[in-house]
Amino acid sequence: MAELLTKKERKELLKIARDTIVAYVATGQVPPVGTPSKGLACENGCFVTIKQQERLRGCIGNFVSDRPLYSLVQEMAVSAATRDPRFYPMKPRDLDDFDLEISVLSPLEKITSADQIQVGKHGIYIVKESYRGVLLPQVATEYGWDRDTFLKHTCIKAGLPENAWQKECDIYIFSALVFGEQ
């Protein structure tokens, strides 16, 4: 279980993510990982967030995994660095100044009422037809949002009207073990 990741294992995951980004941006290759700690073999979803000067630079993740966490972290680190459509792919000059945050996720839970969302504890995933939007639990806290504002911004991210969460959307919540280099 992700909650059982030790401080050492968290540092190890951050190092794996950093080494992967640096190697991939410099060479186009994902470096091999030695023998990771036992806790890094759990099969949880995760997001990797890259920041430069405390501003978002890339964030990509996956809710589920059928492989070890360290392997998914590598894939999401490469994707956050080079495939986030909101940013240009990182270049070697970007490697001098970036910080990482990893969010290891609990399974998604479909909810029947927005009242079940606890700001600061839950992230939100909203689905309506082909529209999808997700915001991690720490986003609401970082911006000082209440539950309605959090839902509104998740709808906007999904490309939906800001009040779409009030009707005909599937809303899922999840929690995350969040840790970073800062």
Side-chain angles (χ1 to χ4, degrees):
M1 191 69 166
E3 296 85 38
L4 302 178
L5 290 178
T6 65
K7 194 172 191 173
K8 182 180 176 188
E9 289 168 333
R10 294 174 197 187
K11 282 185 173 185
E12 187 177 353
L13 267 184
L14 288 163
K15 181 175 180 353
I16 288 169
R18 177 170 286 279
D19 291 350
T20 298
I21 290 168
V22 169
Y24 191 84
V25 170
T27 69
Q29 301 293 314
V30 174
V33 174
T35 306
S37 300
K38 181 180 165 190
L40 304 188
C42 63
E43 294 181 354
N44 289 71
C46 73
F47 275 71
V48 174
T49 302
I50 302 170
K51 292 187 177 181
Q52 285 184 310
Q53 293 154 14
E54 299 183 25
R55 298 188 69 179
L56 182 64
R57 173 61 182 81
C59 183
I60 301 280
N62 202 339
F63 288 110
V64 295
S65 180
D66 59 356
R67 59 187 174 176
L69 178 60
Y70 74 88
S71 177
L72 185 62
V73 164
Q74 283 192 295
E75 180 185 342
M76 296 304 108
V78 168
S79 292
T82 63
R83 297 184 190 112
D84 188 324
R86 298 169 291 183
F87 304 95
Y88 69 86
M90 287 179 76
K91 306 218 180 304
R93 70 175 178 265
D94 298 313
L95 297 175
D96 294 334
D97 177 31
F98 73 95
D99 294 301
L100 292 171
E101 182 177 88
I102 296 173
S103 302
V104 181
L105 309 181
S106 70
L108 289 172
E109 176 188 342
K110 188 173 182 179
I111 60 173
T112 56
S113 168
D115 293 336
Q116 294 173 261
I117 298 168
Q118 295 177 38
V119 173
K121 177 180 180 183
H122 295 130
I124 303 173
Y125 179 51
I126 288 183
V127 179
K128 182 176 182 182
E129 298 164 1
S130 64
Y131 297 94
R132 301 171 188 293
V134 62
L135 288 175
L136 297 170
Q138 60 268 37
V139 173
T141 306
E142 288 172 7
Y143 288 100
W145 293 341
D146 61 16
R147 181 176 43 231
D148 288 358
T149 305
F150 194 21
L151 284 157
K152 188 184 317 183
H153 281 278
T154 308
C155 287
I156 292 168
K157 187 161 184 208
L160 293 165
E162 62 184 38
N163 65 345
W165 64 271
Q166 297 171 343
K167 47 188 175 280
E168 299 177 21
C169 284
D170 290 327
I171 303 173
Y172 298 85
I173 57 173
F174 59 93
S175 58
L177 172 64
V178 182
F179 51 95
E181 296 175 321
Q182 291 292 338

